[in-house]
Amino acid sequence: MNWDQIEGKWEQLKGKAKEQWGKLTDDDWTVVEGKRDQLAGRIQERYGYTKEQAEKELDDWFSKN
């Protein structure tokens, strides 16, 4: 699955993503709407991660889902 597919199936995958990143608000999820760069930025902001840490978490989550 690639990110285009994730965007297409976002409503189904959003629940799993919410479990992974519980600090993100409903407003964050509305803004993200499956867009990888938006999600990475929100993770970075809410968790205080570096860009590299946020990208790694996304890559790990992506490979599991």
Side-chain angles (χ1 to χ4, degrees):
M1 188 180 306
N2 63 37
W3 274 98
D4 289 332
Q5 292 170 314
I6 286 177
E7 285 184 38
K9 295 181 179 185
W10 183 242
E11 288 305 313
Q12 293 117 342
L13 292 172
K14 185 167 51 172
K16 290 182 181 182
K18 281 183 172 184
E19 289 175 15
Q20 177 75 27
W21 298 290
K23 289 185 181 181
L24 274 65
T25 66
D26 286 337
D27 288 340
D28 291 330
W29 293 112
T30 300
V31 169
V32 168
E33 286 302 315
K35 294 174 184 68
R36 190 181 198 286
D37 59 333
Q38 292 283 332
L39 183 53
R42 296 294 170 142
I43 291 169
Q44 187 178 351
E45 180 182 319
R46 296 282 185 236
Y47 287 86
Y49 291 168
T50 64
K51 182 178 182 180
E52 292 77 20
Q53 285 174 306
E55 293 286 340
K56 182 174 181 342
E57 279 215 5
L58 273 174
D59 290 340
D60 291 346
W61 180 78
F62 176 74
S63 67
K64 292 177 189 172
N65 293 289

